[in-house]
Amino acid sequence: MENGVANQLNERLATSGLRLTAQRQQVYDVLLQRRDHPTAEEVFIRSKQGSPEISIATVYNCLDTLVKCGLVRQVNLDRSATRYCPNMHEHFHFYCDTCGTIYDIDAPPEGSLPAVQVPKGFTVGHCEISVRGSCPACSAGAV
Amino acid sequence: MENGVANQLNERLATSGLRLTAQRQQVYDVLLQRRDHPTAEEVFIRSKQGSPEISIATVYNCLDTLVKCGLVRQVNLDRSATRYCPNMHEHFHFYCDTCGTIYDIDAPPEGSLPAVQVPKGFTVGHCEISVRGSCPACSAGAV
DNA sequence: ACCTGACATTAGAATTATTCTAAGTATTGA
DNA sequence: TCAATACTTAGAATAATTCTAATGTCAGGT
């Protein structure tokens, strides 16, 4: 498993002439281990457990690299710190206003995700959807 | 027209125990005059033409107030400066990667915006959609 | 008219998230 | 083994925004 991940990471990096380093591995591992959409700061703190020497600049660099390799997605909600998500399936994010948790909501089977219609002439590159509201736990508690 | 706007603004403010001030009026006017999704900085520059004494802190305060009154919407794209939009109809934003223009794309008639489906238990409060790509002008030019 | 208190504005300092810089370290390929 | 390139690091710099404390303004009650 570990090895599979390392290989996948290495492959992706190699195709861009980039190297598999301990830090990149570490940062990616941190993201895979707890898929709770951490900020760069949080990734930094967790990474230090395995790589005590790592610096915050490196964490930013590594996250950037992972995003460029298509292994990680940035999640921006309002103007709070950018969060990072290793789920590359088509999905959108649900932010619970009560508990602050961010949920991945997978696109429904029939690709029915964006019926986003743009007028003639517009070419859609990427489409980002985010939803705020109350998660099941908090919706129930509020009754 | 001017009066209508002032009245609407005043009404909204009054229901929250807030006052209609020259600065709030000025900032709102700036947003209505050119609906090009300016940043706070840009609103500041334009506002100074009518209200040379206005400060950037006041611009931020006024924009905040307008957002809270439901007269203005914040537009966040990536982590660039927040932009402000006085179009309160249901719509989403299209950002042209080539020319940087932000377009308002109005929701299609049958409320068919994306039937964004959330799993049972989730309560949707607000849904934000943004699309990146190439606008008609830039799409045409790139041929 | 004139207080009083709540609401507002202002300049400038502070904060936060992020990026830049410059120096040193590591790895790869010739 | 050497050079070139990629990478990491600490700390400085930047950008956008928020905070602070002082001052200003307005509406309602006396």
Side-chain angles (χ1 to χ4, degrees):
Chain A
M1 203 60 179
E2 271 283 358
N3 254 328
V5 165
N7 285 343
Q8 193 202 0
L9 175 53
N10 193 17
E11 250 173 58
R12 292 287 189 120
L13 290 167
T15 66
S16 310
L18 304 171
R19 295 174 189 157
L20 175 56
T21 66
Q23 291 87 343
R24 285 172 180 170
Q25 177 78 65
Q26 175 70 66
V27 165
Y28 192 39
D29 282 354
V30 161
L31 290 177
L32 293 176
Q33 273 160 33
R34 278 185 57 197
R35 293 161 165 263
D36 60 350
H37 307 89
T39 62
E41 186 71 25
E42 284 161 349
V43 172
F44 177 49
I45 291 167
R46 293 181 201 170
S47 294
K48 279 199 285 194
Q49 288 168 27
S51 311
E53 307 285 77
I54 203 170
S55 81
I56 183 73
T58 298
V59 169
Y60 273 106
N61 289 340
C62 292
L63 289 169
D64 249 44
T65 301
L66 293 173
V67 168
K68 285 192 186 121
C69 287
L71 288 166
V72 164
R73 221 179 115 172
Q74 290 189 322
V75 181
N76 287 297
L77 287 161
D78 302 322
R79 284 198 56 78
S80 54
T82 299
R83 295 168 175 282
Y84 297 85
C85 174
N87 173 0
M88 296 304 286
H89 301 130
E90 197 186 358
H91 71 287
F92 61 90
H93 293 107
F94 185 100
Y95 174 81
C96 177
D97 285 317
T98 307
C99 66
T101 306
I102 296 170
Y103 295 84
D104 282 6
I105 309 282
D106 286 308
E110 350 110 44
S112 79
L113 229 202
V116 172
Q117 310 248 353
V118 294
K120 265 205 188 87
F122 286 90
T123 309
V124 173
H126 182 72
C127 173
E128 184 96 16
I129 297 177
S130 57
V131 180
R132 314 185 61 118
S134 188
C135 73
C138 293
S139 291
V143 172
Chain B
M1 202 62 178
E2 272 284 356
N3 255 330
V5 165
N7 284 344
Q8 194 201 0
L9 176 54
N10 193 17
E11 251 174 56
R12 292 288 190 121
L13 290 167
T15 65
S16 310
L18 303 171
R19 293 175 191 154
L20 175 57
T21 66
Q23 291 88 341
R24 285 172 179 167
Q25 177 78 65
Q26 175 69 67
V27 165
Y28 192 40
D29 282 353
V30 161
L31 290 177
L32 292 175
Q33 273 160 35
R34 280 184 56 196
R35 293 159 166 264
D36 61 350
H37 308 88
T39 62
E41 186 70 27
E42 284 161 348
V43 172
F44 176 49
I45 291 166
R46 294 181 201 170
S47 294
K48 278 199 287 196
Q49 286 166 30
S51 311
E53 307 286 77
I54 202 169
S55 81
I56 183 72
T58 299
V59 170
Y60 275 106
N61 289 341
C62 291
L63 289 170
D64 248 46
T65 301
L66 294 172
V67 168
K68 286 195 185 118
C69 287
L71 289 166
V72 165
R73 220 179 116 171
Q74 290 189 323
V75 180
N76 287 297
L77 286 161
D78 302 323
R79 284 197 57 75
S80 53
T82 299
R83 294 167 175 282
Y84 297 86
C85 172
N87 173 0
M88 297 303 287
H89 300 131
E90 196 186 358
H91 71 287
F92 62 90
H93 294 106
F94 185 100
Y95 173 80
C96 177
D97 286 317
T98 307
C99 67
T101 306
I102 296 170
Y103 296 84
D104 282 5
I105 310 282
D106 285 310
E110 352 110 42
S112 79
L113 242 201
V116 171
Q117 310 249 352
V118 293
K120 263 206 190 87
F122 285 90
T123 309
V124 174
H126 181 71
C127 174
E128 184 95 17
I129 297 177
S130 57
V131 179
R132 314 183 62 116
S134 189
C135 73
C138 293
S139 291
V143 171

